[in-house]
Amino acid sequence: MSYTPTPADKFTFGLWTVGNMGRDPFGEPVRQSRSAAEIVHALAEVGAYGVNFHDNDLVPIDATAAERDQIVKEFKQALADTGLVVPMATTNLFTDPAFKDGAFTANDPAVRAYALHKTMRAIDLGVECGAKVYVFWGGREGVETDAAKDPLEAIKRFREALNFLCAYAKDQGYDLKFALEPKPNEPRGDIYLATVGHALALIATLDDPSMVGVNPEVAHEQMAGLNFLHGVAQAWDAGKLFHIDLNDQAFGRYDQDFRFGAVNLKSAFFLVKFLEEVGYAGSRHFDAHAYRTEGYEGVQDFARGCMRTYLILKEKARQWAADGEIQALLAEINGGDQSAPVYSRAAAAELKGRAFDRRALGARNLGYERLDQLTVDLLLGVR
Ligand code: DIG
Ligand code: MN
Ligand code: MN
């Protein structure tokens, strides 16, 4: 079995991931910066399908129009030379001090206006490079003290900004879908739209909810102590899984953005099984970065590892679906009349009048220990 990525796998990385220089809150960069073109070639070498970027990953915030055009020209040349595509783009609304109190939700209306200005120009850049999905991660949209901002006002401002930008994208005739990326905290003490659930609730209140979905990230839901698969399933059920950020994370930690599958192999397996079972057709985007201990050789190992683990788990999911003992157990567990209850007065009367043997219901052995051990055996390669 080969675990070599192909373009059909749709594996993508952000310029900021394999371009991460290893700076952290307690240490200086350990790797030199690389140009966007160098990163594109490095991703091509490991077999990635595409590359994503924040506006300022590609074009420095103080670049002139001429510099911008030259940078974009060189970037597009690297894409042409390697065949990589740009499925997603996004805006950096979190690095510049202007956004220290947020961007769309900032108390200062001039900052909110600047955030719209910057995002429209970044959307233009993303579309120019071929992006079809536009991500909004509100890293600074939050508070350290709720004395400073009314959460209702913040939600209203977020909605107004998204309504404005949806209208802009439509007015420009862009074939673009927006994806909100939740995160509970860091860098702000508490971030609005903390989880997939919060984001789905906001989307329902927009002028045109159809344009907007979510971009769940493994580490972010897990930072909130949540089961990532359940958030992804909720988004899929709502027709809102427009993109996904794959990585890994130890529970109860800061946003570690580890290589996919580096910590929670079992939950990574159930996630890959789900994405493949439902036929998720979007990018498998690795929003992650190599350990700070690594040089660029290690960064390539990191990128290969993300894709290799996904492909191994995809094969394990195929084996799980073909495993006779596992499937027999599942058939038993899901036996009986599974049809949904359809209301009628007669059905309600019958159900209210039906006798149930509560003790028998509670006495059944459900066999989940055996099912889970068979799954563990399969993941450990002993079946
Ligand atoms: C962090 O998880 C965020 C930013 O890196 C970016 O805005 C977004 C895109 O995937 N993820
Ligand atoms: Mn993250
Ligand atoms: Mn992310």
Side-chain angles (χ1 to χ4, degrees):
M1 184 79 203
S2 152
Y3 302 110
T4 307
T6 69
D9 297 314
K10 291 198 173 178
F11 291 136
T12 63
F13 294 80
L15 286 176
W16 70 91
T17 66
V18 289
N20 182 298
M21 296 190 287
R23 177 187 288 111
D24 69 23
F26 304 100
E28 292 305 310
V30 295
R31 297 183 283 265
Q32 297 300 313
S33 69
R34 295 196 288 183
S35 72
E38 286 173 313
I39 292 170
V40 168
H41 283 279
L43 287 173
E45 190 223 340
V46 297
Y49 160 73
V51 61
N52 308 310
F53 59 83
H54 300 82
D55 49 348
N56 301 139
D57 297 333
L58 186 61
V59 178
I61 196 165
D62 51 8
T64 64
E67 287 165 342
R68 173 213 185 275
D69 292 347
Q70 181 57 28
I71 288 166
V72 172
K73 183 166 171 263
E74 288 166 8
F75 179 61
K76 284 180 174 178
Q77 187 56 55
L79 296 173
D81 294 345
T82 59
L84 263 72
V85 293
V86 177
M88 179 272 274
T90 181
T91 324
N92 187 321
L93 294 174
F94 45 86
T95 298
D96 192 274
F99 300 122
K100 65 188 177 185
D101 181 36
F104 300 142
T105 66
N107 280 329
D108 183 345
V111 171
R112 299 203 297 271
Y114 175 50
L116 289 176
H117 159 95
K118 192 171 193 287
T119 303
M120 284 189 284
R121 294 159 74 92
I123 288 173
D124 295 345
L125 175 63
V127 170
E128 184 182 343
C129 295
K132 291 283 189 286
V133 175
Y134 203 83
V135 164
F136 293 79
W137 172 62
R140 298 286 179 194
E141 313 292 9
V143 290
E144 285 70 45
T145 167
D146 282 314
K149 207 167 290 174
D150 171 359
L152 270 182
E153 185 57 33
I155 292 165
K156 188 166 79 66
R157 290 170 185 167
F158 218 133
R159 175 170 42 249
E160 286 160 357
L162 289 171
N163 285 337
F164 186 95
L165 292 165
C166 283
Y168 174 72
K170 279 196 278 194
D171 196 23
Q172 294 292 101
Y174 291 156
D175 172 19
L176 205 55
K177 294 200 289 192
F178 288 176
L180 307 184
E181 179 175 338
K183 186 177 181 182
N185 59 69
E186 190 201 27
R188 294 307 296 267
D190 289 294
I191 296 180
Y192 300 119
L193 303 192
T195 71
V196 167
H198 292 77
L200 292 173
L202 178 70
I203 290 167
T205 70
L206 297 175
D207 290 348
D208 179 5
S210 68
M211 264 189 80
V212 186
V214 291
N215 175 44
E217 177 174 314
V218 174
H220 298 178
E221 299 301 297
Q222 290 187 351
M223 281 172 73
L226 299 174
N227 178 313
F228 183 67
L229 171 60
H230 297 182
V232 169
Q234 195 86 49
W236 180 266
D237 178 70
K240 292 295 182 184
L241 187 67
F242 286 8
H243 197 263
I244 194 165
D245 275 4
L246 301 174
N247 56 22
D248 210 347
Q249 173 82 26
F251 274 87
R253 303 292 202 288
Y254 62 92
D255 187 10
Q256 294 178 309
D257 292 338
F258 283 149
R259 182 181 81 254
F260 182 64
V263 182
N264 306 299
L265 269 178
K266 205 169 158 193
S267 48
F269 165 72
F270 288 122
L271 173 64
V272 170
K273 183 165 84 68
F274 178 85
L275 293 174
E276 297 303 322
E277 279 172 353
V278 299
Y280 168 70
S283 296
R284 276 78 171 155
H285 175 233
F286 298 106
D287 186 7
H289 49 78
Y291 302 141
R292 189 166 180 266
T293 52
E294 305 305 291
Y296 278 118
E297 186 184 340
V299 171
Q300 293 297 83
D301 294 337
F302 149 81
R304 288 191 190 95
C306 285
M307 297 183 286
R308 179 175 171 80
T309 298
Y310 188 102
L311 290 174
I312 293 170
L313 293 176
K314 181 177 174 181
E315 170 57 15
K316 292 289 183 184
R318 190 198 60 73
Q319 291 171 12
W320 197 86
D323 187 296
E325 198 170 348
I326 287 174
Q327 293 309 312
L329 260 175
L330 286 171
E332 194 184 316
I333 288 167
N334 295 299
D337 175 6
Q338 297 286 344
S339 57
V342 176
Y343 184 81
S344 70
R345 199 165 295 172
E350 188 281 324
L351 195 50
K352 282 176 73 177
R354 192 188 308 173
F356 288 89
D357 181 346
R358 188 166 37 82
R359 284 178 183 73
L361 290 178
R364 274 184 65 200
N365 175 59
L366 297 180
Y368 294 177
E369 282 288 350
R370 173 130 195 78
L371 176 62
D372 190 67
Q373 186 58 45
L374 288 170
T375 304
V376 168
D377 280 14
L378 188 143
L379 289 176
L380 295 178
V382 297
R383 83 174 275 117

